């Protein structure tokens, strides 16, 4: 009976160790799941940030092109204005003579 009691005690100790290991594994699984969720959230935020950054780049390129176009048109208007001014002077000079 002493041997059976010792075996019973050892079985209880093994059961306690197995139970502790199972609890630790469960905690580790929960932590791993939380880490995985955080990584997915971070990846999604990084992707959204990359998309916004690309949109900003595109808008910047479009703005730079628009500025170039406006400058080109302003140069054309300035030249046409100078040509018109010269034509008006020539016309007035012809009328006076």
């Amino acid at each position: 009976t002493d041997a059976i009691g010792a075996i019973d005690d050892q079985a209880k100790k093994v059961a306690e160790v197995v139970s502790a290991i199972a609890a630790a594994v469960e905690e580790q699984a929960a932590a791993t799941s939380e880490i995985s969720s955080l990584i997915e959230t971070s990846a999604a935020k990084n992707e959204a940030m990359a998309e916004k950054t690309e949109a900003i780049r595109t808008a910047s390129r479009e703005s730079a092109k628009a500025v170039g176009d406006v400058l080109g048109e302003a140069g054309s208007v300035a030249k046409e204005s100078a040509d018109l001014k010269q034509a008006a002077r020539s016309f007035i000079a012809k009328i006076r003579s």
Side-chain angles (χ1 to χ4, degrees):
T1 55
D2 285 338
I4 292 175
I7 291 172
D8 188 42
D9 288 342
Q10 288 300 320
K12 286 179 185 175
K13 288 179 184 176
V14 169
E16 288 174 6
V17 169
V18 168
S19 178
I21 291 171
V25 167
E26 189 174 313
E27 284 181 32
Q28 187 173 9
T32 301
S33 177
E34 185 175 345
I35 290 168
S36 175
S37 176
L38 291 172
I39 289 171
E40 286 177 15
T41 300
S42 178
K45 287 181 179 181
N46 285 339
E47 185 176 336
M49 182 64 73
E51 289 172 1
K52 288 177 183 177
T53 300
E54 185 56 34
I56 290 169
R57 280 190 193 123
T58 299
S60 294
R61 282 192 296 268
E62 290 172 358
S63 293
K65 183 185 179 313
V67 167
D69 292 347
V70 167
L71 287 175
E73 291 300 317
S76 295
V77 168
K79 182 179 179 331
E80 289 176 17
S81 176
D83 292 346
L84 183 58
K85 192 179 218 180
Q86 183 59 38
R89 283 185 183 151
S90 294
F91 177 73
I92 291 172
K94 284 182 183 178
I95 292 176
R96 286 186 181 164
S97 55

